Amino acid sequence: VADVQEIIRAANRFAVPLWPISRGENLGYGGARSFRDASLILDLSRLNRIIEVNVPDAFCLVEPGVSFLQMFDYLERHDLPLWLSVPGYGAGSIIGNALERGVSSSPYGDHAAQICGLELILGDGELVRTGMGAMPHSGMWQRQQATIGPRYDEIFLQSNYGVVTKMGLWLMRAPEASAAIEIEIAERDSLGAVIECLAALKRLGVIQDSPAIASYLTSAALCSAKSDWMTGKGALDQNAETLLLRTLGLGWWNVKVRLYGLPDMVSLCLRQVEQELARLPGCSFHISRWQKGAPISSAHRGVPSIDGAGNVRWLGENGAHIDFSVAIPVSGAEALKHARWMIRELAACGLDYHSAFYLRDRHILNVVQLIFDQADEEMCQTVDVLYRRLINDVAMRGYGINRSPLDYRADVAATFSFGGNAIGNLAQRLKRALDPGSILSPGKDGLS
Amino acid sequence: VADVQEIIRAANRFAVPLWPISRGENLGYGGARSFRDASLILDLSRLNRIIEVNVPDAFCLVEPGVSFLQMFDYLERHDLPLWLSVPGYGAGSIIGNALERGVSSSPYGDHAAQICGLELILGDGELVRTGMGAMPHSGMWQRQQATIGPRYDEIFLQSNYGVVTKMGLWLMRAPEASAAIEIEIAERDSLGAVIECLAALKRLGVIQDSPAIASYLTSAALCSAKSDWMTGKGALDQNAETLLLRTLGLGWWNVKVRLYGLPDMVSLCLRQVEQELARLPGCSFHISRWQKGAPISSAHRGVPSIDGAGNVRWLGENGAHIDFSVAIPVSGAEALKHARWMIRELAACGLDYHSAFYLRDRHILNVVQLIFDQADEEMCQTVDVLYRRLINDVAMRGYGINRSPLDYRADVAATFSFGGNAIGNLAQRLKRALDPGSILSPGKDGLS
C-alpha cells in the first residue's frame, strides 16, 4: 500500500496519468485497456492477499488481486460454509468486479451492494479507510455499512477518484438445503409470461435469487460456433435456429432458479414454483436437490470458471464482444418489447442475440453481448454505430444504463442531462476535490 | 424547489448560514436545533407532497415534509398493500429519518438502505437528481439504485453537503400472512442466550426482521413514572425493579419477532422459532397470527404513533433524553458484557437503563436512551460528562458509533482517527466542493 501511495505521488510530481487495474479482466467493458494511450497501467494484481474470511458473520477482506477462482479455492481448501457469488468470468478480481458493478443471479449477486468498508488512496496519495475502518480499534469495519456521517464507499464505484487497496465484502452463508430448477421455455414470445410468473414468486418471497432468463445463444455459443449451423453472412436465420434448438435440446429461453433454506422451507417453496411453472406454455423443467453434508455441484451454487469467456468463439478465433447493460421495469410486456426490439436492431447489423434478463426486486437488468469479428473492419464500424444509437434509444425509452465500455462513457454521460448535466458537474467537483492533479484514469467517467 | 434554491443563493450572497430541517423531529439527536445560534432554520415541513406511491414495485417518492403518520394515512385511505417501516416517533419526516439513519425492526428497518434516488440542492444552489433521476426520461429513478459511475445518494446521509427536496424510498410489500411472537425473558443475564438463539434463526433465514430486544423500562416508561416505583435519587433500586416487573407483568427483556410470507411458510418458520424459544431459560411467549383479508393490528405491522416520545415523562414534566447508538458484534457474550457495563455506568450517574438491541445480519445496534431531568442542572452536567466518556470507551472497545447528538459530533469525529483523521479530511474536501460558501449546517459534521 505504501508503494502504491509512492507511485501515485510520483505520478503527480511528473504529471503522468495512471490507469489502475485490479486484474484487468473487465471483459466486455474495457478489460485492462486505458482510455488514453499516454497513461501508465498501474497493475495491482500482485496485491493478492485474502486478509480475512469470517464465517459466522459471512464476510471477507481482500486485496485487488484476489480473483473469484482464488477465493473459491480458499473456501474449498478450508471447508468453509460460505458461498461465493460468481460472475460469468472467474479469473477477474473480486474488488474490480464489485467496483464495476458486476452481477450474478445469486441473492448476493448485486456485488456493489455487498461492499462493506474500503481502504483506498486518493489521487494525491492520501490513504483513507471508509466506514468503521476509520476507527483505529474497530472490530466493525466489515460488519456495519452504516457509519456516522456520509457513507463514501459507493462514490468509488466505476469512478476515478481513488485506488482501492482493500475491500470488505459480504458473502452468502451456505444454506441447510437448496433446490435447483432448470427451466426451458420453447417459444421466444413466452418471455413476458415467464417474467410475470417469476416476478410474482419473487414478490411472495419464494425466490430470493435474481434468476437469469437467458436466450439460447448464451448456452449454444459455449459449445458450438455459428459456422456449425449456418454459412454466409447475417444473423442466424430461422432454419439454423430450429436446427440448433433441436440438436442441442435447448429452450429459446433457459432459466436456472435456486431455492435456499431449511429442507422443509425449500420443499414448500419448490411446490409453489412447480405449481406456477406448470401454467406456463411450452415450459419444461428439471429439479435437483441438495442438502448439507451431500456432495455439491455447480447446479446449486456458483463455481467460478473461465469457460464463460469462450462464447466469443461463436464467430471463430477473432470473436470479441462488448456488452450492453440496461435496466428496464419489472414487466413481462416491457421485457418482450425490449427483446423484440433488440433482436431486430442486432439482426439489421448481422448480429445474433446473446442476452440474459436478471430479474431483480424492482427492475430487470438486461445484458446483451454484442459478439463481433474484430478482424472484420466493416462489422466493427457497424457495431460502433449501433452501440451509440442503442444508448440514445434506451435513454428515450426511459430505461436505465448502468455499465458501458470506456469508448461510450461520454455518450452515456450525455444522456444523464437533467439540470444542465448537473450529475456530471457533481462528478467533476468530486474529481477536483479527490484527485486535484487528475492523475487517476482520466477520461474513465466520460468527463475529466 | 425553486424557492429553496433562491433562499440558498441569497444565503450565499449575505453569508448567512442555513440550518435545513425536514420536520425537525430528530428526537434524541438534536431535534430542530441548529448547532450555531447564528444560523437561520430552513424549515421544509411545508414541502409535504406524496408525489408517487407505486404498488407493484413498492416504492414512494416524497418531499421532506411528509411524516410517517401522513404516509400511513395515505396507504390506509387508498387501501394499498404496502407496509411502512415505522420508527419510534411517527410525527417525524420520512426523508429526515432516512437521512439521519433512523431504524426499525422491520425487514425494511435500515431506512438509509432503502433510499433510491434523490433530488437535492447543493450549497451553492445547484439542483441535482441522483441515480436514474439524472436521465430526464427515466422510468427507473425509484427502481434502480445502481447508476453508471459513482452512486452519490449516501454522501448526503447525516451530512451538510446539500438540501434534499425529493427522495425515493423502497417500501415493504404486504405479505400474504404473518405471525407476531411477543417474548418475555425473566432474567437480565439471559440476554446472551436470547441473542444467540435469535441470531441462529436469522442465519437460517427463518427471521427476516431485525428484532429489538428491549429492556423492561422501554415499556414501563410509557405507562408509568419512576416516582410510581421509588422515591429519592439514584437509579431504580432492586426493590423497585422487582415491584415494577411484577406489577406490569413484564420480562426484564421483551422482544417482538414477526414472520412474513405465505401462510404455510409462516407456519413452518413459527414452528422453528417455537422450538428454539422453548430451550431458553425463563422465556415465555405469546403468538398471534394474521392472514391477508383479516383486520390487522399493530402487532403485525408498524403503525406510526407519537406515544413513543412520552417515555421522557419517566422523570416527570422536565424529562428529556439523548440517545446513545452503537453497533457491536453479533455475540451473546459481547451483548451481555455491553449491557452490564452500560447499566453500571448509567447507575453510577443515577440514570436508568432504557435500552434496545436491534439484531441485524452482521451486527447488533444498541440504542440506549439517557433520560434525564433537564431542570436538574447537576444531572445535565453529569450526563454531558458521561456521554463524552461513553464515546471514547466504546471506541476503545472496538464498537462502531453511527449516530450522535450534535454537541458530541466533534467527540465522535475524533475517534475516527485512522491515517491522521483521513476520513475527516475527505469530508472536508467534499464540503468545500459541494458547499463552497459553507452555508449549510456549519458544524453539523463536527468539522466545518
Side-chain angles (χ1 to χ4, degrees):
Chain A
V1 171
D3 288 352
V4 179
Q5 272 185 289
E6 205 37 65
I7 291 167
I8 292 175
R9 287 199 194 106
N12 272 281
R13 259 194 320 275
F14 298 105
V16 178
L18 296 174
W19 191 270
I21 57 169
S22 300
R23 297 179 55 86
E25 303 281 11
N26 192 17
L27 305 186
Y29 301 102
R33 225 200 85 196
S34 74
F35 189 64
R36 289 187 193 158
D37 292 338
S39 301
L40 284 181
I41 304 280
L42 176 58
D43 181 350
L44 303 168
S45 60
R46 285 170 63 210
L47 284 174
N48 64 354
R49 280 187 310 151
I50 296 172
I51 299 165
E52 186 183 356
V53 175
N54 182 290
V55 172
D57 291 329
F59 66 77
C60 63
L61 178 64
V62 294
E63 291 184 333
V66 176
S67 71
F68 290 92
L69 289 164
Q70 183 186 345
M71 177 60 83
F72 186 81
D73 259 17
Y74 180 96
L75 298 176
E76 287 289 283
R77 214 167 48 245
H78 295 84
D79 198 23
L80 302 181
L82 296 172
W83 285 8
L84 200 55
S85 171
V86 170
Y89 186 64
S93 154
I94 291 180
I95 285 187
N97 181 277
L99 289 178
E100 295 294 328
R101 291 204 173 85
V103 299
S104 87
S105 59
S106 138
Y108 280 71
D110 180 355
H111 298 164
Q114 316 307 329
I115 297 173
C116 189
L118 301 174
E119 179 187 87
L120 58 98
I121 305 169
L122 296 175
D124 52 8
E126 182 153 357
L127 183 70
V128 181
R129 288 188 177 174
T130 65
M132 288 301 137
M135 299 183 84
H137 305 285
S138 180
M140 307 305 290
W141 193 15
Q142 286 81 47
R143 290 182 166 89
Q144 177 187 5
Q145 286 183 332
T147 178
I148 195 156
R151 179 174 177 242
Y152 298 107
D153 291 15
E154 296 200 341
I155 63 171
F156 297 98
L157 296 175
Q158 296 179 329
S159 84
N160 54 10
Y161 303 151
V163 176
V164 174
T165 49
K166 290 184 183 69
M167 179 187 282
L169 200 86
W170 290 345
L171 304 173
M172 179 173 165
R173 296 181 178 100
E176 297 294 299
S178 81
I181 308 124
E182 297 188 58
I183 308 167
E184 289 172 23
I185 311 290
E187 298 296 329
R188 190 193 78 173
D189 287 357
S190 302
L191 175 65
V194 181
I195 298 265
E196 290 299 336
C197 164
L198 296 175
L201 288 164
K202 260 191 93 61
R203 289 192 189 112
L204 288 173
V206 171
I207 299 179
Q208 298 155 45
D209 263 7
S210 301
I213 299 125
S215 73
Y216 66 91
L217 281 180
T218 59
S219 312
L222 291 174
C223 62
S224 71
K226 187 169 187 173
S227 55
D228 297 339
W229 313 105
M230 176 178 143
T231 53
K233 287 223 159 191
L236 211 62
D237 63 26
Q238 190 60 56
N239 290 339
E241 177 179 309
T242 308
L243 178 65
L244 184 158
L245 288 173
R246 196 175 318 136
T247 311
L248 297 181
L250 290 168
W252 211 102
W253 299 103
N254 302 275
V255 192
K256 191 184 281 170
V257 173
R258 291 172 176 139
L259 307 170
Y260 314 95
L262 293 163
D264 287 353
M265 280 166 62
V266 171
S267 300
L268 210 68
C269 291
L270 189 53
R271 213 148 54 228
Q272 283 288 328
V273 173
E274 286 182 273
Q275 254 173 42
E276 296 302 319
L277 290 181
R279 293 184 204 160
L280 276 182
C283 167
S284 61
F285 53 91
H286 169 79
I287 295 166
S288 69
R289 298 199 56 166
W290 171 85
Q291 201 157 328
K292 199 162 86 175
I296 187 160
S297 77
S298 63
H300 291 273
R301 61 158 182 187
V303 175
S305 142
I306 57 166
D307 299 343
N311 68 340
V312 292
R313 285 194 292 273
W314 177 248
L315 293 188
E317 286 312 309
N318 290 316
H321 68 106
I322 57 172
D323 296 355
F324 189 74
S325 176
V326 66
I328 68 170
V330 180
S331 149
E334 200 80 20
L336 182 56
K337 190 178 100 183
H338 182 58
R340 281 180 177 151
W341 174 70
M342 285 289 288
I343 290 168
R344 205 166 52 235
E345 293 289 328
L346 294 178
C349 298
L351 300 180
D352 301 315
Y353 185 63
H354 306 257
S355 168
F357 288 87
Y358 294 88
L359 180 59
R360 293 180 164 182
D361 278 334
R362 288 170 178 82
H363 66 268
I364 304 172
L365 190 65
N366 178 227
V367 181
V368 175
Q369 294 197 302
L370 282 66
I371 298 184
F372 59 95
D373 181 344
Q374 56 186 326
D376 180 342
E377 259 184 57
E378 194 189 325
M379 190 184 245
C380 289
Q381 181 65 29
T382 304
V383 168
D384 183 63
V385 172
L386 172 65
Y387 203 101
R388 287 181 212 280
R389 194 156 51 72
L390 289 177
I391 290 169
N392 286 306
D393 285 0
V394 299
M396 289 308 295
R397 281 159 189 254
Y399 300 160
I401 302 176
N402 77 326
R403 294 175 96 175
S404 104
L406 286 174
D407 295 306
Y408 305 99
R409 283 298 278 273
D411 298 73
V412 173
T415 70
F416 282 64
S417 60
F418 176 85
N421 194 25
I423 203 76
N425 297 340
L426 176 59
Q428 250 174 341
R429 289 180 192 225
L430 261 61
K431 179 67 176 171
R432 280 195 299 268
L434 303 181
D435 180 18
S438 203
I439 288 300
L440 300 178
S441 309
K444 185 171 190 290
D445 60 1
L447 288 164
S448 45
Chain B
V1 171
D3 289 352
V4 179
Q5 273 185 290
E6 206 36 65
I7 291 166
I8 292 176
R9 288 199 194 106
N12 271 283
R13 260 193 319 276
F14 298 104
V16 178
L18 295 174
W19 192 270
I21 57 169
S22 299
R23 296 179 55 87
E25 303 280 12
N26 192 16
L27 305 186
Y29 301 101
R33 224 202 86 197
S34 74
F35 190 63
R36 289 187 192 157
D37 292 339
S39 302
L40 285 181
I41 304 281
L42 175 58
D43 181 351
L44 303 168
S45 60
R46 285 170 63 210
L47 283 174
N48 64 353
R49 280 187 309 151
I50 296 172
I51 299 164
E52 186 182 355
V53 175
N54 182 288
V55 172
D57 291 329
F59 66 77
C60 63
L61 178 65
V62 294
E63 291 184 332
V66 176
S67 71
F68 290 91
L69 289 165
Q70 183 187 346
M71 177 59 83
F72 186 82
D73 259 18
Y74 181 96
L75 298 175
E76 287 289 285
R77 213 168 47 244
H78 296 84
D79 198 22
L80 302 181
L82 296 171
W83 285 8
L84 199 55
S85 171
V86 171
Y89 186 63
S93 155
I94 291 179
I95 286 187
N97 181 278
L99 289 178
E100 294 294 329
R101 291 203 173 86
V103 299
S104 87
S105 59
S106 140
Y108 280 70
D110 180 355
H111 297 164
Q114 315 308 328
I115 296 173
C116 189
L118 301 175
E119 178 187 86
L120 59 97
I121 305 169
L122 296 175
D124 53 8
E126 182 152 358
L127 183 70
V128 181
R129 288 187 177 174
T130 66
M132 288 301 137
M135 300 183 84
H137 304 285
S138 180
M140 307 305 291
W141 193 15
Q142 287 81 47
R143 290 182 167 90
Q144 177 188 5
Q145 285 183 333
T147 177
I148 195 155
R151 179 173 177 244
Y152 298 107
D153 291 16
E154 296 200 339
I155 63 172
F156 297 98
L157 296 174
Q158 295 179 330
S159 83
N160 54 10
Y161 301 151
V163 177
V164 174
T165 48
K166 290 184 185 67
M167 178 187 282
L169 200 84
W170 290 344
L171 304 174
M172 180 174 165
R173 296 180 177 100
E176 297 294 298
S178 81
I181 309 123
E182 298 189 57
I183 308 166
E184 289 174 21
I185 311 289
E187 297 297 328
R188 189 193 77 173
D189 286 358
S190 302
L191 175 65
V194 181
I195 297 266
E196 290 299 335
C197 164
L198 296 176
L201 289 164
K202 260 190 94 60
R203 288 191 190 112
L204 288 172
V206 172
I207 298 179
Q208 298 155 45
D209 263 6
S210 301
I213 300 125
S215 73
Y216 66 90
L217 280 180
T218 58
S219 312
L222 292 173
C223 61
S224 71
K226 187 169 188 172
S227 55
D228 298 339
W229 312 106
M230 178 179 141
T231 53
K233 288 224 160 191
L236 211 63
D237 62 28
Q238 190 59 56
N239 289 340
E241 178 180 307
T242 308
L243 178 66
L244 183 158
L245 288 172
R246 194 175 320 135
T247 311
L248 298 181
L250 290 168
W252 211 102
W253 299 104
N254 301 276
V255 191
K256 191 184 283 172
V257 173
R258 291 171 177 141
L259 307 171
Y260 315 94
L262 293 163
D264 286 353
M265 279 167 62
V266 171
S267 300
L268 210 69
C269 291
L270 188 54
R271 213 148 53 227
Q272 283 288 329
V273 174
E274 285 182 276
Q275 254 172 41
E276 295 302 318
L277 291 181
R279 293 183 205 163
L280 278 182
C283 167
S284 61
F285 54 91
H286 169 79
I287 294 165
S288 70
R289 298 199 57 166
W290 170 85
Q291 201 157 328
K292 198 163 85 174
I296 188 160
S297 77
S298 63
H300 292 272
R301 62 161 180 182
V303 176
S305 140
I306 57 166
D307 299 343
N311 68 342
V312 291
R313 285 194 291 273
W314 177 247
L315 292 188
E317 286 312 310
N318 290 315
H321 69 106
I322 57 172
D323 295 355
F324 189 74
S325 175
V326 65
I328 68 170
V330 180
S331 149
E334 201 79 21
L336 182 56
K337 191 178 101 182
H338 182 58
R340 280 179 177 153
W341 174 70
M342 285 290 287
I343 291 167
R344 207 167 51 236
E345 292 290 328
L346 294 177
C349 298
L351 301 180
D352 300 315
Y353 185 62
H354 306 256
S355 169
F357 288 87
Y358 293 87
L359 180 59
R360 293 180 165 182
D361 278 334
R362 289 170 178 81
H363 66 267
I364 305 172
L365 191 65
N366 178 229
V367 181
V368 176
Q369 295 197 302
L370 282 68
I371 299 183
F372 58 94
D373 180 344
Q374 55 187 325
D376 179 341
E377 260 186 56
E378 195 188 325
M379 189 184 247
C380 290
Q381 180 65 29
T382 304
V383 167
D384 183 63
V385 172
L386 172 65
Y387 203 101
R388 287 181 212 279
R389 194 157 52 71
L390 290 177
I391 290 168
N392 286 306
D393 286 0
V394 298
M396 289 309 294
R397 281 160 189 252
Y399 300 160
I401 302 176
N402 76 326
R403 295 175 95 174
S404 103
L406 287 174
D407 296 306
Y408 305 100
R409 283 297 279 274
D411 298 74
V412 173
T415 70
F416 281 65
S417 59
F418 176 84
N421 195 26
I423 203 76
N425 297 340
L426 176 58
Q428 248 172 342
R429 289 180 192 226
L430 262 61
K431 180 66 176 172
R432 279 195 300 267
L434 304 181
D435 179 18
S438 203
I439 287 301
L440 300 178
S441 310
K444 184 170 190 290
D445 61 0
L447 288 165
S448 47

